[in-house]
């Protein structure tokens, strides 16, 4: 529109310079069109900046959601649980070990997928059970435990199902992109959010000086390494 108005001003100027008769006073019309073009250009620039800022804010908000989930998971569950377990340890007992499952895709945290993963853990000759942990505040927490043998110490294990909250965010994002049926895009967003969650959670553990008690595992379930080599190196 701004370019079209500029062409109109240019055409009026040429006709006026050639001495051709016009059915209106060319000078005020040309000035009006020039001012209108300037106003449109300024308005378009302002709108472009606003749209860019809104997009950046949307991106920031989109990526802050998994970070907020990591914060809530740590502050409301993981940190109190670790503190309670450390407080209840007997002197000279084996080091506290806590495994957190980080999925590759969100659907790994569904009920059926978790059952299959626990069956896989049994196939690896690990027994799993559960304990009820009485918390200082709120209801008792039920924790999964893994044991290689009856003589070995229990390792605590958790599926961070809070990540399933991200499915609603992905649905909203895909709807806004008009790409609701793209499976590849859904997986891509899920992978990105999970990575953000894991990174933020690890930082929370480092900041609270609790990182040495926690390890992360995934669908490969390399439990022998997770439960022996890494902890042995530190303890």
């Amino acid at each position: 529109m701004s370019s079209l108005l500029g062409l109109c001003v240019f055409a009026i100027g040429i006709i006026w310079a050639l001495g051709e008769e016009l059915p209106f006073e060319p000078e005020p019309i040309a000035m009006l069109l020039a001012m209108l073009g300037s106003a449109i250009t300024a308005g378009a620039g302002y709108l472009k900046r606003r749209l860019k800022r809104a997009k950046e804010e949307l991106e920031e908000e989109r990526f802050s959601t998994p970070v907020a989930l990591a914060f809530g998971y740590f502050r409301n569950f993981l940190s109190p649980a670790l503190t309670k377990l450390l407080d209840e340890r007997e002197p000279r007992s084996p080091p506290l070990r806590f495994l957190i499952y980080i999925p590759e895709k969100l659907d790994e945290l569904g009920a059926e997928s978790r059952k299959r993963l626990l069956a896989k853990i049994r196939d690896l000759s690990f027994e799993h059970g559960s304990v009820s942990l009485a918390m200082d505040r709120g209801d008792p927490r039920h924790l999964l435990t893994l044991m290689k043998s009856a003589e070995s110490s229990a390792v605590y294990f958790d599926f961070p199902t809070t990540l399933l909250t991200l499915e609603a965010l992905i649905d909203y994002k895909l709807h806004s992109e008009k790409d609701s049926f793209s499976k590849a895009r859904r997986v891509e967003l899920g992978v990105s959010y999970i990575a953000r969650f894991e990174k933020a959670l690890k930082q929370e553990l480092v900041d609270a000086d609790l990182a040495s008690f926690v390890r992360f595992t995934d669908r490969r379930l390399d439990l022998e390494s997770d439960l022996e080599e890494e902890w042995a190196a530190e303890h």
Side-chain angles (χ1 to χ4, degrees), residues 46-166:
Y46 174 77
L47 181 60
K48 183 178 180 180
R49 291 192 298 272
R50 288 289 299 175
L51 289 174
K52 181 180 179 182
R53 189 180 307 157
K55 183 178 180 181
E56 290 172 350
E57 290 173 354
L58 180 60
E59 283 295 296
E60 183 178 348
E61 180 180 351
R62 179 165 68 92
F63 283 116
S64 70
T65 303
V67 174
L69 286 178
F71 179 84
Y73 176 78
F74 178 77
R75 295 301 173 93
N76 298 326
F77 166 67
L78 186 56
S79 179
L82 291 172
T83 300
K84 188 69 174 178
L85 291 168
L86 288 168
D87 184 57
E88 293 181 351
R89 285 177 62 211
E90 297 292 335
R92 294 181 296 279
S93 60
L96 171 63
R97 299 181 293 179
F98 203 112
L99 273 177
I100 297 175
Y101 184 83
I102 299 295
E104 180 180 336
K105 298 184 291 186
L106 290 175
D107 58 12
E108 292 175 33
L109 293 176
E112 294 299 319
S113 294
R114 296 201 307 272
K115 287 181 181 179
R116 289 192 293 270
L117 284 165
L118 290 175
K120 184 177 179 180
I121 287 173
R122 291 195 299 271
D123 290 341
L124 295 171
S125 300
F126 282 86
E127 293 296 326
H128 65 81
S130 64
V131 296
S132 180
L133 185 65
M135 306 299 290
D136 294 334
R137 291 183 296 178
D139 296 331
R141 303 280 187 172
H142 297 286
L143 300 179
L144 282 170
T145 58
L146 304 181
M147 296 181 68
K148 182 66 174 178
S149 65
E151 294 76 26
S152 63
S153 58
V155 177
Y156 300 97
F157 186 89
D158 189 59
F159 293 104
T161 53
T162 186
L163 279 169
L164 292 174
T165 308
L166 294 170

Side-chain angles (χ1 to χ4, degrees), residues 1 4 10 30 56-57 79 81 91 105 116 122 130 134 154 171 173 207-208 212 219:
M1 180 63 75
L4 181 61
F10 180 74
E56 290 172 350
E57 290 173 354
S79 179
K105 298 184 291 186
R116 289 192 293 270
R122 291 195 299 271
S130 64
D171 288 340
K173 174 63 179 174
D207 292 344
S212 61
R219 63 187 303 173

Side-chain angles (χ1 to χ4, degrees), residues 17-31:
L18 293 174
E20 298 291 336
E21 291 291 332
L22 292 171
F24 52 81
E25 287 293 329
E27 187 173 359
I29 295 297
M31 290 180 61

